[in-house]
Amino acid sequence: MSSDKFLRGAMILTLAGLMVKVIGSVNRILLSRLLGGEGIGLYQMAYPVYLLLLAISAAGIPVAISIIVAGFLAQKDYANVRQVFRVSLRLMACVGAVLAVCLVLAAGWLVDAGVITDVRAYYSLIALTPAIFFATILASFRGYFQGHQLMTPPAVSQIVEQFIRVVTMVVLAYVLLPYGLEYAAAGAAFGAVPGSLTGLVVMGCFYRYYRKQWQVEHVPAAELVRSRVLIKRLLLLALPVSCANILVPVTSSIDVLLVPGRLIDSGLSVEQATAQFGYLAGMAQPLLLMATIPTMSLATSLVPAVSEAFALNKWQIIGQKAATAMKLCCLITVPASVGMWVLAEPISCLLYGTAKAGVAIMHSAPAICLLGLQQVTTGMLQGMGHTNLPMLNMLIGIAAKLVAVLQLTNVEYGIAGAAWATNINFGVTALLNIIALYKFSIRFSWLSIAKIIAAAAMMGAVAVEAHVLLGGASPALATIAAMLAAGISYIILLPLLGVLNRQELRQLPVVKRFFK
């Protein structure tokens, strides 16, 4: 039953993540048409500042709260579960308020100092300040529900938050556009405020509903943990996660700062280097992030599940959950990597109307599997309370990427070398995470993973043959048909190779009803 809850939570978060991405894609299209490049530029100057403050204040808190709550729940210490929520809510309200005030005070300085190069972006910065307060509090609610392994409330709140945010952005941008582009961009930025506030209201409603059930479980604690002790533990768990999230834009900035220059040094013109970089950062990498939504959801769901078993010192259950998560990660990401590799150019034509991004897409394909492994192994370590290890391993991965970009982005490899630098980054981090897990006696079934790789390789051959056979038809239809043929062959090969058995299929949500 515990395994069902863990996998069901991952599935719910995956569906929510995909819906949020779809809504966000629609938003980018509409907003680009309304504001044009200049207006979007003003919005994009302010929004990264908001994301940075959120990474500092709220990125690590849901993980930290879910770890502590799951531990107390495992011990049936319901009074301290509520104590965690009360303390974290007060803490995050204070942090959110302080950061919001700091942004208001710092907005003028950011413009005057030239950090924000266009003075018109000041209005967008100010418009975003209330959202920091609401989003920071919202992180407490999400972590609390994740600790209970209830993923539906956070998933619903994410979808509603994104929908309200997008509607508000588009409406305000349209209404304010006649008054000036800076006000339209500020209106778009303000969309984050009603979005986060609505998400908070949704979580509040879920909390009122579930609180009635939790009150039945009321058992006085032997001793309530002091607020100061809880705050210290929350910060010790959350800070490494927040630092790791801050490192994500640092990793991206390596590409921005170094790759175009390295391409120019290899003999390309400025225009050619910019185009090649666009194929990598603007076309290949978004596909990578979309493909790893399921593994990110799996990692999020894994944290409280592992934390619960860790609190009870049940290492066998931790090992089982880790093995299940690793196998599921490979089942999803290995075929995605193979499919993106063998159909890179057709996918580029289908999605972007050009074959020129094919090289960047093909050489970015391994990153799907490697990033998935990094995410899932990070979730395992965080669930055991070792939130600092993934951050340290990520730092080493970034250093490896820096060296790889300088060495591989050259005349011989070009943009493919830059793509492999990203692969090395994720691969090194994932490998270090796996080594750390081995030190904690967590083992994986490498034979099953080898069978998955074999099934994916045969699937890739089917995809190539199908695309060649249908090449005389419409290119778009040939690509879609090849992907369908690949998917069907992969599903057939898994049981034939003994990758999945009936018992494992019974654990999967939705699928299990067909294998009673």
Side-chain angles (χ1 to χ4, degrees), residues 39-222:
I40 291 293
L42 291 173
Y43 170 78
Q44 287 294 348
M45 284 181 185
Y47 201 66
V49 177
Y50 166 71
L51 292 179
L52 177 62
L53 291 175
L54 277 190
I56 294 169
S57 66
I61 282 296
V63 174
I65 294 173
S66 68
I67 291 170
I68 299 174
V69 167
F72 281 131
L73 283 174
Q75 298 165 354
K76 301 189 185 301
D77 190 349
Y78 302 114
N80 270 317
V81 169
R82 286 187 284 277
Q83 174 76 341
V84 172
F85 181 64
R86 287 193 294 267
V87 170
S88 65
L89 201 60
R90 290 197 295 267
L91 173 66
M92 297 313 290
C94 292
V95 170
V98 168
L99 287 177
V101 171
C102 285
L103 181 56
V104 171
L105 297 176
W109 175 84
L110 289 171
V111 172
D112 294 337
V115 177
I116 303 296
T117 54
D118 194 317
V119 295
R120 295 176 297 172
Y122 171 83
Y123 301 103
S124 296
L125 282 171
I126 297 299
L128 283 164
T129 51
I132 294 172
F133 176 70
F134 296 127
T136 305
I137 296 175
L138 184 55
S140 290
F141 277 95
R142 286 178 175 159
Y144 189 62
F145 278 98
Q146 287 168 9
H148 282 83
Q149 296 189 58
L150 293 169
M151 302 302 172
T152 300
V156 172
S157 74
Q158 285 175 24
I159 295 168
V160 173
E161 177 187 358
Q162 180 76 330
F163 178 77
I164 296 298
R165 174 176 167 268
V166 166
V167 170
T168 308
M169 287 175 74
V170 174
V171 170
L172 287 181
Y174 178 78
V175 170
L176 294 174
L177 189 57
Y179 299 95
L181 204 55
E182 62 270 38
Y183 298 110
F190 186 78
V193 178
S196 56
L197 179 58
T198 306
L200 189 57
V201 170
V202 170
M203 292 301 286
C205 293
F206 274 113
Y207 177 76
R208 285 176 61 88
Y209 172 78
Y210 281 102
R211 187 174 60 178
K212 296 175 184 177
Q213 300 178 25
W214 293 331
Q215 284 174 345
V216 176
E217 301 169 337
H218 180 72
V219 178

Side-chain angles (χ1 to χ4, degrees), residues 140-397:
S140 290
F141 277 95
R142 286 178 175 159
Y144 189 62
F145 278 98
Q146 287 168 9
H148 282 83
Q149 296 189 58
L150 293 169
M151 302 302 172
T152 300
V156 172
S157 74
Q158 285 175 24
I159 295 168
V160 173
E161 177 187 358
Q162 180 76 330
F163 178 77
I164 296 298
R165 174 176 167 268
V166 166
V167 170
T168 308
M169 287 175 74
V170 174
V171 170
L172 287 181
Y174 178 78
V175 170
L176 294 174
L177 189 57
Y179 299 95
L181 204 55
E182 62 270 38
Y183 298 110
F190 186 78
V193 178
S196 56
L197 179 58
T198 306
L200 189 57
V201 170
V202 170
M203 292 301 286
C205 293
F206 274 113
Y207 177 76
R208 285 176 61 88
Y209 172 78
Y210 281 102
R211 187 174 60 178
K212 296 175 184 177
Q213 300 178 25
W214 293 331
Q215 284 174 345
V216 176
E217 301 169 337
H218 180 72
V219 178
E223 184 180 357
L224 280 178
V225 180
R226 295 178 63 184
S227 297
R228 184 178 299 176
V229 174
L230 274 178
I231 289 173
K232 182 179 179 181
R233 191 177 174 200
L234 279 168
L235 293 177
L236 285 174
L237 289 170
L239 282 174
V241 181
S242 294
C243 289
N245 276 271
I246 293 171
L247 288 175
V248 173
V250 171
T251 307
S252 299
S253 68
I254 291 175
D255 288 336
V256 175
L257 295 173
L258 296 182
V259 171
R262 293 295 296 169
L263 290 172
I264 292 169
D265 292 341
S266 71
L268 298 184
S269 67
V270 173
E271 293 77 11
Q272 289 171 328
T274 302
Q276 288 293 313
F277 180 69
Y279 297 144
L280 176 66
M283 297 184 182
Q285 290 180 355
L287 294 178
L288 156 68
L289 296 176
M290 180 70 78
T292 52
I293 287 174
T295 49
M296 189 69 251
S297 303
L298 188 61
T300 302
S301 186
L302 188 62
V303 171
V306 169
S307 184
E308 179 185 53
F310 185 76
L312 299 173
N313 203 30
K314 293 184 176 180
W315 286 94
Q316 184 180 359
I317 294 177
I318 294 174
Q320 289 172 351
K321 290 184 183 300
T324 299
M326 177 65 83
K327 188 172 183 178
L328 195 54
C329 170
C330 291
L331 281 168
I332 295 168
T333 60
V334 172
S337 292
V338 171
M340 198 161 120
W341 180 280
V342 299
L343 295 176
E345 194 169 300
I347 288 172
S348 178
C349 292
L350 177 68
L351 296 179
Y352 304 120
T354 177
K356 293 180 180 179
V359 172
I361 291 173
M362 181 175 72
H363 290 281
S364 296
I368 296 175
C369 181
L370 297 172
L371 177 56
L373 290 174
Q374 177 189 319
Q375 291 169 337
V376 170
T377 52
T378 293
M380 295 173 195
L381 290 168
Q382 289 174 344
M384 292 188 288
H386 300 290
T387 56
N388 59 319
L389 286 176
M391 181 197 70
L392 294 174
N393 293 340
M394 192 173 179
L395 276 171
I396 297 171

Side-chain angles (χ1 to χ4, degrees), residues 504-516:
E504 289 173 326
L505 289 168
R506 284 199 191 103
Q507 293 180 345
L508 299 175
V510 181
V511 177
K512 65 181 180 180
R513 69 183 62 181
F514 300 105
F515 293 90
K516 294 181 179 178

